[in-house]
Amino acid sequence: MTIRNHDVIEANPNDYDPDALVARLRRNALVSMISVAILVAAYWQEPMAVVGALLGGALVMLNFVLLERIVSRVLETAKRPPNPLQMVFLGLRFVLMGLILYGILALPGVRPIPVVLGLSIVVLAVVIETFSEVFSSPSSGL
């Protein structure tokens, strides 16, 4: 079978739905967090290792939700200058996340590697979404 130029299916930029993408990323992150927790439990066989992975995952999900809200507000008010309080909160968010991460790592029995694995769930969610889009896209005329 030959592929001709008019057989190629191109994506329409108007078909892009950012809200659906964020919802899929959230779902993929939750699946990743459960998977990471199961793998940590199977490998370390320590309850606090699983707690560290789950707390790391919860922290990065909180960060994802906060970023989503900040970006939606910035896009809604793109014509106006940013609110100074929003800019202060944006800077303080990093300090707050660092303090929470320090608190997680300071818990007795929590290992750093499971926490880092928990922190990686959004990256895993993006990888899952990317592979899903690549392998579910319609074939080009085959």
Side-chain angles (χ1 to χ4, degrees):
M1 174 183 263
T2 59
I3 300 174
R4 289 164 281 178
N5 286 338
H6 65 275
D7 290 338
V8 176
I9 300 171
E10 292 186 23
N12 183 354
N14 296 330
D15 292 341
Y16 175 71
D17 184 9
D19 293 330
L21 174 64
V22 169
R24 287 192 309 269
L25 285 175
R26 271 197 228 132
R27 182 196 66 220
N28 292 342
L30 289 174
V31 169
S32 297
M33 189 160 68
I34 293 168
S35 302
V36 164
I38 290 170
L39 290 173
V40 165
Y43 183 77
W44 273 277
Q45 298 177 357
E46 296 174 5
M48 288 308 288
V50 176
V51 168
L54 290 174
L55 287 175
L59 179 63
V60 80
M61 281 300 295
L62 174 65
N63 188 41
F64 182 76
V65 168
L66 290 175
L67 282 174
E68 175 191 350
R69 288 184 181 173
I70 289 170
V71 167
S72 67
R73 284 190 198 136
V74 166
L75 291 177
E76 287 172 1
T77 62
K79 303 280 188 230
R80 295 181 283 164
N83 184 348
L85 289 177
Q86 286 178 335
M87 296 292 111
V88 169
F89 176 71
L90 190 60
L92 288 177
R93 185 180 55 84
F94 288 112
V95 174
L96 181 62
M97 292 293 168
L99 290 173
I100 293 171
L101 182 59
Y102 176 77
I104 292 170
L105 292 172
L107 290 173
V110 171
R111 296 174 176 256
I113 293 176
V115 174
V116 170
L117 290 173
L119 291 171
S120 68
I121 64 165
V122 171
V123 174
L124 289 172
V126 171
V127 169
I128 290 169
E129 179 63 22
T130 301
F131 278 117
S132 172
E133 285 296 315
V134 166
F135 292 117
S136 70
S137 65
S139 63
S140 21
L142 296 178

XYZ file of all heavy atoms in Angstrom, residues 23-122:
760
model
N -6.432 16.982 33.293
C -7.162 15.902 33.963
C -6.466 14.558 33.734
O -6.346 13.742 34.661
C -8.604 15.851 33.465
N -6.000 14.320 32.504
C -5.278 13.062 32.228
C -3.961 13.014 32.981
O -3.574 11.956 33.503
C -5.039 12.913 30.726
C -6.284 12.573 29.934
C -5.964 12.146 28.507
N -5.101 13.060 27.786
C -5.536 14.075 27.029
N -6.827 14.299 26.901
N -4.678 14.848 26.397
N -3.268 14.144 33.072
C -2.013 14.172 33.829
C -2.256 13.891 35.306
O -1.480 13.163 35.934
C -1.310 15.518 33.649
C -0.629 15.738 32.308
C -0.080 17.154 32.217
C 0.471 14.729 32.080
N -3.325 14.452 35.864
C -3.658 14.159 37.262
C -3.943 12.675 37.453
O -3.470 12.067 38.408
C -4.879 14.974 37.696
C -4.523 16.293 38.255
C -5.705 16.853 39.038
N -5.885 18.219 38.605
C -7.036 18.750 38.256
N -8.134 18.054 38.296
N -7.097 19.998 37.875
N -4.731 12.106 36.551
C -5.052 10.683 36.642
C -3.788 9.835 36.512
O -3.567 8.916 37.301
C -6.050 10.297 35.543
C -6.465 8.819 35.598
C -7.118 8.352 34.325
N -6.138 8.386 33.255
C -6.375 8.773 32.023
N -7.571 9.172 31.674
N -5.428 8.771 31.115
N -2.949 10.159 35.549
C -1.700 9.418 35.367
C -0.786 9.556 36.577
O -0.092 8.611 36.953
C -0.975 9.883 34.105
C -1.707 9.521 32.835
O -2.573 8.662 32.831
N -1.384 10.205 31.763
N -0.778 10.736 37.204
C 0.056 10.941 38.397
C -0.448 10.092 39.559
O 0.356 9.512 40.304
C 0.086 12.415 38.772
N -1.753 9.987 39.709
C -2.294 9.138 40.779
C -1.971 7.667 40.538
O -1.592 6.941 41.465
C -3.799 9.345 40.917
C -4.219 10.685 41.500
C -5.724 10.841 41.459
C -3.706 10.838 42.921
N -2.097 7.225 39.296
C -1.730 5.844 38.959
C -0.239 5.625 39.207
O 0.168 4.590 39.760
C -2.108 5.520 37.494
C -1.509 4.209 37.036
C -3.622 5.506 37.335
N 0.575 6.612 38.843
C 2.016 6.510 39.080
C 2.327 6.459 40.563
O 3.201 5.702 40.997
C 2.745 7.705 38.447
O 2.571 7.708 37.056
N 1.614 7.248 41.370
C 1.864 7.256 42.806
C 1.528 5.908 43.423
O 2.289 5.390 44.249
C 1.066 8.370 43.493
C 1.460 8.548 44.947
S 1.023 10.137 45.664
C -0.734 10.068 45.727
N 0.439 5.315 43.013
C 0.074 3.987 43.520
C 1.107 2.956 43.083
O 1.539 2.120 43.886
C -1.346 3.607 43.045
C -2.377 4.514 43.708
C -1.647 2.143 43.339
C -3.755 4.437 43.107
N 1.532 3.037 41.831
C 2.526 2.090 41.320
C 3.854 2.231 42.048
O 4.481 1.226 42.423
C 2.743 2.301 39.823
O 1.546 2.157 39.121
N 4.290 3.466 42.266
C 5.546 3.702 42.982
C 5.433 3.188 44.412
O 6.360 2.548 44.928
C 5.928 5.201 42.938
C 6.974 5.537 43.971
C 6.416 5.576 41.552
N 4.307 3.423 45.068
C 4.120 2.944 46.443
C 4.174 1.419 46.502
O 4.787 0.846 47.416
C 2.797 3.455 47.005
N 3.579 0.752 45.533
C 3.617 -0.715 45.504
C 5.034 -1.211 45.273
O 5.491 -2.144 45.938
C 2.644 -1.251 44.427
C 1.196 -1.008 44.860
C 2.883 -2.732 44.154
C 0.174 -1.265 43.785
N 5.752 -0.586 44.348
C 7.138 -0.992 44.088
C 8.042 -0.735 45.294
O 8.891 -1.571 45.620
C 7.679 -0.263 42.855
C 7.069 -0.683 41.523
C 7.557 0.230 40.408
C 7.388 -2.127 41.219
N 7.856 0.390 45.954
C 8.643 0.690 47.154
C 8.327 -0.317 48.252
O 9.228 -0.817 48.934
C 8.391 2.146 47.616
C 8.887 2.380 49.034
C 9.041 3.121 46.650
N 7.054 -0.652 48.417
C 6.672 -1.635 49.434
C 7.276 -2.999 49.130
O 7.741 -3.700 50.037
C 5.150 -1.745 49.516
N 7.299 -3.368 47.866
C 7.853 -4.678 47.492
C 9.370 -4.715 47.658
O 9.926 -5.729 48.075
C 7.480 -5.006 46.050
N 10.042 -3.598 47.374
C 11.494 -3.606 47.430
C 12.021 -3.392 48.855
O 12.847 -4.147 49.339
C 12.069 -2.539 46.490
C 13.576 -2.544 46.443
C 14.246 -3.515 45.701
C 14.323 -1.613 47.145
C 15.628 -3.545 45.670
C 15.698 -1.626 47.116
C 16.352 -2.603 46.378
O 17.719 -2.632 46.347
N 11.543 -2.328 49.531
C 12.090 -2.011 50.851
C 11.412 -2.791 51.968
O 12.000 -3.031 52.998
C 11.986 -0.507 51.127
C 13.166 0.239 50.611
C 14.360 0.394 51.234
C 13.280 0.929 49.372
N 15.205 1.134 50.461
C 14.572 1.476 49.302
C 12.418 1.134 48.301
C 15.020 2.220 48.228
C 12.857 1.869 47.230
C 14.150 2.402 47.196
N 10.157 -3.131 51.793
C 9.372 -3.870 52.786
C 9.389 -3.181 54.150
O 9.469 -3.830 55.187
C 9.868 -5.315 52.892
C 9.717 -6.057 51.591
C 10.253 -7.469 51.637
O 10.803 -7.908 52.629
N 10.065 -8.182 50.537
N 9.341 -1.859 54.126
C 9.290 -1.051 55.346
C 8.130 -0.065 55.209
O 8.020 0.630 54.202
C 10.584 -0.268 55.543
C 11.811 -1.119 55.748
C 13.079 -0.282 55.796
O 12.993 0.963 55.761
O 14.156 -0.894 55.867
N 7.274 0.010 56.212
C 6.140 0.943 56.118
C 6.556 2.404 55.938
O 5.922 3.137 55.183
C 5.408 0.757 57.450
C 5.859 -0.556 57.969
C 7.224 -0.792 57.430
N 7.635 2.826 56.595
C 8.038 4.231 56.484
C 8.611 4.564 55.104
O 8.566 5.715 54.684
C 9.038 4.599 57.583
C 8.403 4.689 58.967
S 6.946 5.745 59.036
C 7.656 7.367 58.885
N 9.127 3.574 54.400
C 9.577 3.817 53.029
C 8.369 4.136 52.146
O 8.416 5.055 51.317
C 10.345 2.614 52.492
N 7.290 3.399 52.358
C 6.061 3.652 51.591
C 5.479 5.010 51.979
O 5.031 5.771 51.114
C 5.037 2.515 51.815
C 3.737 2.817 51.103
C 5.601 1.186 51.360
N 5.512 5.326 53.269
C 5.017 6.628 53.723
C 5.820 7.748 53.064
O 5.257 8.745 52.608
C 5.080 6.724 55.266
C 4.861 8.150 55.749
C 4.053 5.796 55.897
N 7.144 7.591 53.001
C 7.979 8.599 52.357
C 7.632 8.769 50.887
O 7.551 9.902 50.382
N 7.414 7.661 50.177
C 7.044 7.737 48.755
C 5.690 8.419 48.582
O 5.519 9.267 47.695
C 7.026 6.344 48.139
N 4.739 8.081 49.440
C 3.410 8.688 49.341
C 3.438 10.173 49.704
O 2.766 10.980 49.061
C 2.416 7.934 50.222
C 2.055 6.529 49.738
C 1.188 5.817 50.765
C 1.358 6.573 48.386
N 4.223 10.524 50.715
C 4.324 11.942 51.077
C 5.036 12.739 49.981
O 4.640 13.872 49.685
C 5.048 12.098 52.409
C 4.263 11.680 53.648
C 5.132 11.766 54.893
C 3.004 12.509 53.809
N 6.066 12.162 49.381
C 6.722 12.826 48.255
C 5.763 13.010 47.091
O 5.720 14.072 46.462
N 4.970 11.979 46.803
C 3.972 12.079 45.738
C 2.902 13.107 46.050
O 2.483 13.875 45.173
N 2.458 13.145 47.301
C 1.445 14.127 47.695
C 2.000 15.549 47.578
O 1.295 16.464 47.146
C 0.980 13.846 49.120
N 3.262 15.723 47.943
C 3.883 17.049 47.839
C 3.952 17.525 46.393
O 3.609 18.661 46.074
C 5.280 17.030 48.457
C 6.062 18.339 48.405
C 5.351 19.429 49.192
C 7.475 18.127 48.931
N 4.369 16.642 45.501
C 4.488 17.049 44.101
C 3.098 17.236 43.467
O 2.919 18.099 42.605
C 5.382 16.066 43.309
C 4.649 14.821 42.908
C 5.978 16.740 42.097
N 2.101 16.489 43.920
C 0.733 16.715 43.419
C 0.196 18.057 43.912
O -0.472 18.773 43.163
C -0.192 15.576 43.863
C -0.046 14.321 43.040
S -0.420 14.564 41.290
C -2.144 14.979 41.349
N 0.492 18.400 45.162
C 0.101 19.705 45.685
C 0.753 20.813 44.864
O 0.101 21.791 44.486
C 0.495 19.830 47.152
C 0.278 21.198 47.800
C -1.200 21.534 47.866
C 0.903 21.231 49.177
N 2.025 20.652 44.567
C 2.741 21.630 43.747
C 2.111 21.731 42.357
O 1.943 22.830 41.817
C 4.214 21.240 43.643
C 5.040 22.299 42.981
O 4.873 23.488 43.226
N 5.951 21.873 42.120
N 1.739 20.595 41.763
C 1.114 20.581 40.436
C -0.211 21.333 40.461
O -0.490 22.143 39.571
C 0.919 19.132 39.977
C 0.339 19.004 38.606
C 1.119 19.222 37.487
C -0.994 18.671 38.428
C 0.590 19.105 36.213
C -1.533 18.552 37.164
C -0.736 18.766 36.044
N -1.025 21.100 41.482
C -2.326 21.766 41.578
C -2.134 23.271 41.773
O -2.839 24.086 41.153
C -3.163 21.151 42.720
C -4.382 21.987 43.029
C -3.576 19.735 42.359
N -1.169 23.658 42.616
C -0.912 25.083 42.818
C -0.427 25.748 41.537
O -0.864 26.860 41.201
C 0.107 25.282 43.940
C -0.373 24.965 45.347
C 0.764 25.090 46.345
C -1.537 25.858 45.746
N 0.456 25.086 40.808
C 0.921 25.638 39.532
C -0.221 25.763 38.532
O -0.310 26.742 37.785
C 2.038 24.779 38.954
C 3.408 24.958 39.580
C 4.387 23.939 39.003
C 3.919 26.359 39.356
N -1.092 24.770 38.510
C -2.238 24.814 37.603
C -3.114 26.027 37.910
O -3.535 26.746 37.004
C -3.039 23.518 37.754
C -4.304 23.488 36.962
C -5.193 22.315 37.347
O -4.757 21.424 38.092
O -6.347 22.318 36.894
N -3.368 26.273 39.180
C -4.196 27.422 39.555
C -3.513 28.738 39.220
O -4.153 29.672 38.741
C -4.526 27.355 41.042
C -5.514 26.276 41.355
C -5.903 26.289 42.791
N -6.846 25.202 43.046
C -7.271 24.870 44.224
N -6.850 25.518 45.289
N -8.128 23.873 44.367
N -2.218 28.819 39.491
C -1.481 30.055 39.206
C -1.489 30.331 37.705
O -1.743 31.469 37.274
C -0.039 29.963 39.750
C -0.049 30.012 41.271
C 0.818 31.083 39.189
C 1.280 29.682 41.906
N -1.232 29.313 36.900
C -1.206 29.505 35.446
C -2.580 29.904 34.931
O -2.695 30.799 34.087
C -0.690 28.231 34.742
C -0.938 28.286 33.252
C 0.780 28.037 35.027
N -3.643 29.291 35.441
C -4.979 29.657 34.967
C -5.315 31.098 35.337
O -5.907 31.824 34.543
C -6.035 28.694 35.503
O -6.154 28.821 36.899
N -4.903 31.533 36.537
C -5.144 32.931 36.918
C -4.335 33.893 36.062
O -4.829 34.951 35.681
C -4.805 33.143 38.390
C -5.837 32.590 39.312
C -5.579 33.024 40.731
N -6.308 32.160 41.633
C -5.816 31.650 42.749
N -4.578 31.913 43.102
N -6.541 30.873 43.503
N -3.095 33.537 35.787
C -2.254 34.412 34.965
C -2.827 34.517 33.560
O -2.859 35.601 32.971
C -0.799 33.901 34.947
C 0.015 34.572 33.861
C -0.147 34.116 36.308
N -3.293 33.411 33.015
C -3.859 33.441 31.667
C -5.173 34.205 31.625
O -5.489 34.848 30.624
C -4.044 32.018 31.137
C -2.761 31.260 30.840
C -3.076 29.838 30.397
C -1.919 31.970 29.797
N -5.959 34.141 32.700
C -7.215 34.885 32.749
C -6.964 36.386 32.807
O -7.718 37.170 32.254
C -8.041 34.461 33.968
C -8.658 33.096 33.845
C -9.310 32.645 35.150
O -9.294 33.411 36.141
O -9.824 31.527 35.171
N -5.910 36.783 33.508
C -5.624 38.203 33.692
C -4.389 38.618 32.907
O -3.593 39.430 33.377
C -5.419 38.516 35.190
O -4.292 37.770 35.647
C -6.635 38.188 36.003
N -4.228 38.072 31.722
C -3.027 38.346 30.921
C -2.938 39.813 30.514
O -1.855 40.336 30.301
C -3.004 37.452 29.689
N -4.045 40.492 30.402
C -4.037 41.889 29.978
C -3.596 42.822 31.114
O -3.054 43.875 30.875
C -5.434 42.307 29.512
C -5.983 41.434 28.397
C -5.414 41.836 27.078
C -6.135 41.080 25.981
N -5.252 40.442 25.067
N -3.859 42.416 32.352
C -3.515 43.257 33.502
C -2.148 42.853 34.050
O -1.715 41.717 33.871
C -4.563 43.085 34.604
C -5.941 43.585 34.183
C -6.917 43.410 35.300
N -7.296 41.984 35.342
C -7.884 41.394 36.362
N -8.145 42.067 37.450
N -8.209 40.126 36.322
N -1.498 43.756 34.756
C -0.227 43.382 35.395
C -0.494 42.381 36.530
O -1.565 42.392 37.127
C 0.320 44.703 35.933
C -0.828 45.634 35.982
C -1.812 45.172 34.951
N 0.474 41.511 36.818
C 0.249 40.508 37.856
C 0.093 41.151 39.237
O 0.682 42.193 39.532
C 1.507 39.637 37.802
C 2.523 40.445 37.095
C 1.793 41.404 36.217
N -0.715 40.514 40.047
C -0.933 40.946 41.415
C 0.357 40.735 42.211
O 0.922 39.648 42.181
C -2.079 40.128 42.007
C -2.451 40.571 43.399
O -1.742 41.333 44.052
N -3.591 40.081 43.852
N 0.843 41.745 42.922
C 2.088 41.569 43.679
C 2.004 40.451 44.718
O 2.986 39.757 44.975
C 2.290 42.927 44.361
C 1.496 43.898 43.566
C 0.364 43.120 42.971
N 0.826 40.249 45.304
C 0.683 39.159 46.278
C 0.845 37.795 45.617
O 1.394 36.876 46.223
C -0.668 39.257 46.986
C -0.823 40.398 47.977
C -2.230 40.427 48.548
C 0.210 40.274 49.090
N 0.381 37.663 44.381
C 0.571 36.407 43.656
C 2.048 36.146 43.399
O 2.515 35.024 43.505
C -0.184 36.422 42.324
C -1.669 36.275 42.456
C -2.366 36.340 41.106
O -1.861 36.930 40.151
N -3.545 35.737 41.026
N 2.796 37.201 43.088
C 4.225 37.046 42.848
C 4.958 36.668 44.137
O 5.857 35.836 44.135
C 4.824 38.338 42.271
C 4.287 38.707 40.907
S 4.835 37.540 39.668
C 3.347 36.706 39.237
N 4.551 37.259 45.255
C 5.154 36.907 46.542
C 4.841 35.454 46.873
O 5.717 34.706 47.309
C 4.650 37.863 47.657
C 5.039 37.361 49.037
C 5.184 39.263 47.420
N 3.579 35.042 46.671
C 3.210 33.656 46.946
C 3.984 32.700 46.047
O 4.393 31.628 46.493
C 1.707 33.435 46.752
C 1.305 32.007 46.937
C 1.304 31.421 48.194
C 0.951 31.222 45.844
C 0.955 30.097 48.362
C 0.602 29.904 46.002
C 0.591 29.337 47.266
N 4.198 33.084 44.803
C 4.954 32.237 43.881
C 6.365 32.001 44.405
O 6.878 30.888 44.361
C 4.986 32.884 42.492
C 5.515 32.058 41.345
C 4.673 30.808 41.155
C 5.533 32.869 40.071
N 7.002 33.031 44.927
C 8.341 32.876 45.499
C 8.325 32.119 46.807
O 9.182 31.258 47.058
N 7.349 32.403 47.661
C 7.275 31.716 48.951
C 6.896 30.243 48.806
O 7.203 29.444 49.682
C 6.272 32.425 49.858
C 6.701 33.773 50.409
C 5.591 34.402 51.239
C 7.968 33.641 51.238
N 6.251 29.914 47.700
C 5.854 28.526 47.469
C 7.080 27.617 47.435
O 7.060 26.509 47.984
C 5.082 28.429 46.149
C 4.524 27.068 45.847
C 3.771 27.093 44.525
N 4.567 27.593 43.421
C 5.414 26.849 42.716
N 5.554 25.585 42.989
N 6.104 27.376 41.738
N 8.161 28.085 46.839
C 9.382 27.281 46.788
C 9.960 27.065 48.181
O 10.396 25.970 48.524
C 10.427 27.926 45.874
C 10.082 27.839 44.431
C 9.762 28.979 43.717
C 10.081 26.618 43.777
C 9.433 28.897 42.376
C 9.756 26.531 42.442
C 9.429 27.670 41.738
N 9.942 28.111 48.985
C 10.435 27.990 50.355
C 9.549 27.025 51.142
O 10.046 26.147 51.858
C 10.487 29.381 51.033
C 10.845 29.259 52.501
C 11.456 30.287 50.300
N 8.246 27.162 50.987
C 7.303 26.289 51.686
C 7.476 24.834 51.262
O 7.509 23.929 52.106
C 5.869 26.758 51.429
C 4.760 25.966 52.110
C 4.898 26.050 53.619
C 3.406 26.476 51.669
N 7.621 24.588 49.972
C 7.819 23.221 49.479
C 9.132 22.640 50.011
O 9.198 21.469 50.376
C 7.815 23.179 47.949
C 6.493 23.486 47.320
S 5.284 22.218 47.687
C 3.815 23.011 47.152
N 10.173 23.464 50.072
C 11.451 23.003 50.620
C 11.340 22.642 52.083
O 11.902 21.631 52.535
N 10.614 23.457 52.856
C 10.428 23.155 54.274
C 9.617 21.882 54.482
O 9.927 21.070 55.367
C 9.756 24.338 54.977
C 10.607 25.594 55.138
C 9.770 26.745 55.681
C 11.803 25.309 56.031
N 8.584 21.699 53.677
C 7.784 20.476 53.773
C 8.637 19.262 53.402
O 8.587 18.227 54.076
C 6.525 20.569 52.886
C 5.576 21.635 53.433
C 5.824 19.225 52.799
C 4.410 21.948 52.523
N 9.441 19.384 52.352
C 10.318 18.283 51.954
C 11.322 17.965 53.059
O 11.572 16.792 53.357
C 11.041 18.624 50.653
C 11.958 17.555 50.079
C 11.190 16.272 49.799
C 12.625 18.064 48.809
N 11.877 18.985 53.685
C 12.792 18.768 54.803
C 12.072 18.040 55.943
O 12.620 17.120 56.554
C 13.362 20.093 55.302
C 14.241 19.926 56.510
C 15.543 19.452 56.383
C 13.765 20.233 57.782
C 16.347 19.278 57.496
C 14.564 20.071 58.899
C 15.850 19.586 58.747
O 16.636 19.413 59.851
N 10.828 18.449 56.217
C 10.044 17.787 57.262
C 9.777 16.325 56.948
O 9.816 15.476 57.839
N 9.526 16.023 55.679
C 9.297 14.629 55.278
C 10.563 13.818 55.493
O 10.536 12.718 56.062
C 8.835 14.559 53.808
C 7.441 15.151 53.646
C 8.866 13.111 53.305
C 7.014 15.335 52.206
N 11.695 14.355 55.058
C 12.958 13.626 55.191
C 13.410 13.520 56.644
O 14.180 12.611 56.987
C 14.041 14.294 54.347
C 13.844 14.186 52.839
C 14.851 15.053 52.104
C 13.936 12.739 52.383
N 12.954 14.417 57.515
C 13.327 14.382 58.922
C 12.508 13.364 59.725
O 12.861 13.071 60.867
C 13.179 15.772 59.533
N 11.446 12.837 59.143
C 10.651 11.833 59.851
C 11.507 10.593 60.111
O 12.257 10.156 59.233
C 9.414 11.435 59.028
C 8.327 12.487 58.886
C 7.271 12.005 57.900
C 7.694 12.783 60.236
N 11.403 10.021 61.294
C 12.212 8.834 61.591
C 11.817 7.651 60.702
O 10.639 7.352 60.551
C 11.920 8.534 63.066
C 10.878 9.484 63.507
C 10.601 10.454 62.413
N 12.815 7.018 60.120
C 12.587 5.836 59.300
C 12.312 6.105 57.831
O 12.215 5.178 57.041
N 12.166 7.378 57.455
C 11.904 7.712 56.053
C 13.230 7.732 55.303
O 14.186 8.369 55.713
C 11.186 9.075 55.930
C 11.117 9.528 54.486
C 9.795 8.987 56.508
N 13.264 6.996 54.199
C 14.467 6.943 53.364
C 14.346 7.960 52.235
O 13.259 8.177 51.704
C 14.633 5.547 52.782
C 14.863 4.495 53.831
C 14.869 3.129 53.157
N 15.178 2.098 54.094
C 16.368 1.492 54.163
N 17.327 1.849 53.335
N 16.582 0.548 55.039
N 15.467 8.554 51.826
C 15.389 9.586 50.782
C 15.040 9.042 49.394
O 14.355 9.726 48.626
C 16.779 10.224 50.789
C 17.644 9.392 51.642
C 16.779 8.480 52.448
N 15.493 7.854 49.058
C 15.231 7.342 47.699
C 13.731 7.141 47.454
O 13.219 7.565 46.405
C 16.053 6.077 47.413
C 17.535 6.443 47.371
C 15.617 5.417 46.110
C 18.474 5.279 47.192
N 12.970 6.519 48.361
C 11.521 6.438 48.117
C 10.845 7.804 48.019
O 9.905 7.973 47.240
C 11.006 5.647 49.317
C 12.156 4.844 49.766
C 13.357 5.701 49.514
N 11.337 8.785 48.786
C 10.758 10.130 48.697
C 11.006 10.701 47.306
O 10.109 11.275 46.685
C 11.340 11.051 49.798
C 10.852 12.486 49.603
C 10.955 10.554 51.180
N 12.220 10.541 46.795
C 12.540 11.025 45.450
C 11.701 10.298 44.403
O 11.230 10.910 43.442
C 14.052 10.883 45.171
C 14.368 11.153 43.716
C 14.840 11.809 46.068
N 11.491 9.006 44.595
C 10.620 8.269 43.670
C 9.201 8.829 43.718
O 8.541 8.958 42.680
C 10.628 6.775 43.999
C 11.922 6.033 43.702
C 11.852 4.602 44.241
C 12.216 6.029 42.219
N 8.728 9.170 44.895
C 7.412 9.798 45.015
C 7.370 11.157 44.344
O 6.379 11.528 43.718
N 8.470 11.905 44.447
C 8.536 13.221 43.814
C 8.543 13.135 42.289
O 8.290 14.127 41.604
C 9.783 13.974 44.281
C 9.798 14.433 45.744
C 11.173 14.963 46.113
C 8.733 15.472 46.005
N 8.828 11.971 41.748
C 8.937 11.819 40.289
C 7.622 11.442 39.622
O 7.603 11.213 38.414
C 9.995 10.763 39.964
O 9.543 9.485 40.367
N 6.520 11.407 40.344
C 5.285 10.904 39.739
C 4.746 11.807 38.638
O 4.137 11.316 37.694
C 4.194 10.622 40.791
C 3.769 11.902 41.474
C 4.640 9.567 41.766
C 2.479 11.769 42.233
N 4.956 13.111 38.722
C 4.470 13.989 37.649
C 5.279 13.753 36.377
O 4.728 13.761 35.275
C 4.488 15.469 38.089
C 4.196 16.386 36.922
C 3.473 15.701 39.193
